[in-house]
Amino acid sequence: MRVRHNVRAVLLDDGQLVFLRRRWPGCLPYNTTVGGGVEPYDVDLEAALRREVMEELGATIGAATEFLTLTEPGEKVTVVRHYFRADVLDMDLNRRGGPEPDDADTGDFSPVRVALDASAVAALELQPPELVDYLSEHAKMWGA
């Protein structure tokens, strides 16, 4: 069985959490964490995370700390999702790159900022539930 690794970022910027608002053609918009698949040329998980954050937000981040790992077994591929917390050092949407911004089929995605509290996180309807539970319990102390 193949294992695919995925990196996801929960970002803090000026006391707020930063997520992505995705709008796919023909689908309802939704909110998600920044991130994606680890590529063969990525040196490690953190390098993949930094690449994904730059591609999707045009942002650079400070130290990244993994706080949650979830495994989704499948018939042919097991996906391991690595969730990291990091501070945004700077962001310029004009620096975004990679395949997503240039592909009309991937839809539109833009940053969304929310307060560091459980009700704001719950209102986003993020998936998976384990991430929401973790953020509801821990996000407040990240701002301290």
Side-chain angles (χ1 to χ4, degrees), residues 16-33:
Q16 295 181 310
L17 293 165
V18 179
F19 297 99
L20 280 180
R21 178 92 168 146
R22 297 295 309 257
R23 291 176 190 86
W24 293 84
C27 298
L28 293 174
Y30 65 95
N31 298 298
T32 188
T33 51

Side-chain angles (χ1 to χ4, degrees), residues 1 71-75 77-79:
M1 174 167 308
T71 302
E72 299 172 23
E75 288 183 29
V77 178
T78 294
V79 178

Side-chain angles (χ1 to χ4, degrees), residues 25-89:
C27 298
L28 293 174
Y30 65 95
N31 298 298
T32 188
T33 51
V34 175
V38 176
E39 301 296 340
Y41 53 81
D42 291 319
V43 176
D44 56 23
L45 295 175
E46 188 172 333
L49 182 75
R50 291 178 185 285
R51 177 183 52 75
E52 286 289 341
V53 170
M54 180 56 75
E55 285 180 2
E56 295 183 356
L57 291 178
T60 56
I61 57 175
T65 304
E66 188 170 356
F67 66 88
L68 181 66
T69 303
L70 300 174
T71 302
E72 299 172 23
E75 288 183 29
K76 296 182 180 180
V77 178
T78 294
V79 178
V80 181
R81 296 190 193 287
H82 303 270
Y83 290 88
F84 291 82
R85 177 228 180 267
D87 292 322
V88 173
L89 299 178

